[in-house]
Amino acid sequence: MKFIICSYLLIVSGLTYFLIQDKELKESIQRGKEIYTDFCISCHLETGEGVENTFPPLAKSDYLMNNREASIKGVKYGQRGELMVNGVTYNNTMMPLGLENEEIVDVMNYVLNSWGNSGAKMVTIEEVNTLLK
């Protein structure tokens, strides 16, 4: 009987955690879409495809999926020099956008969950604050 009760409580708490995180992620993605539209769309375009040989794509981006920390820092501090995205080398400058850490969380959640990307886990304010000390 104790096993059944413990199992039930474990299942309920697990479901609650995932439902709450799912709602938070959806809200973050929605805010991130607005930030993307205001700050990122002119270079990376509405579809996240970027501009060939100039601005790297965010859509289906192996760089974003494999370089989460560097991507977060790039949004905060800008990006200079070479980086390879989907087998293509880009060498350009992205200036710092002046975003607050909360805005970085939201835009990263939007980008990591759009255009064929699927973020393994939600970007959180704790993660961003720790990276950007």
Side-chain angles (χ1 to χ4, degrees):
M1 184 62 143
K2 287 182 183 181
F3 176 76
I4 293 172
I5 292 172
C6 288
S7 297
Y8 174 77
L9 292 174
L10 186 62
I11 291 170
V12 169
S13 63
L15 286 173
T16 302
Y17 171 77
F18 286 113
L19 291 174
I20 289 171
Q21 185 178 21
D22 188 48
K23 180 181 179 211
E24 289 176 12
L25 179 59
K26 285 180 182 177
E27 291 171 354
S28 178
I29 289 170
Q30 186 59 42
R31 290 188 304 266
K33 183 176 182 179
E34 292 175 23
I35 295 164
Y36 182 87
T37 300
D38 290 343
F39 291 92
C40 313
I41 203 167
S42 60
C43 296
H44 296 286
L45 307 181
E46 185 175 350
T47 59
E49 292 177 0
V51 176
E52 188 175 352
N53 298 315
T54 306
F55 303 116
L58 303 176
K60 298 178 186 170
S61 172
D62 62 349
Y63 183 85
L64 285 173
M65 296 296 113
N66 297 323
N67 298 283
R68 181 180 175 110
E69 290 182 9
S71 298
I72 291 168
K73 289 178 180 178
V75 172
K76 180 67 173 186
Y77 302 119
Q79 183 86 33
R80 275 178 207 257
E82 288 188 358
L83 64 123
M84 185 169 289
V85 181
N86 300 340
V88 177
T89 301
Y90 292 85
N91 190 0
N92 208 338
T93 300
M94 181 176 101
M95 299 305 292
L97 303 172
L99 297 178
E100 299 295 326
N101 289 1
E102 294 83 3
E103 294 171 310
I104 293 169
V105 168
D106 293 337
V107 79
M108 285 298 299
N109 280 323
Y110 173 66
V111 169
L112 289 171
N113 290 281
S114 299
W115 316 299
N117 298 324
S118 61
K121 65 176 190 165
M122 181 176 170
V123 176
T124 65
I125 190 63
E126 294 81 15
E127 176 183 10
V128 171
N129 286 340
T130 299
L131 281 173
L132 305 179
K133 284 183 182 179

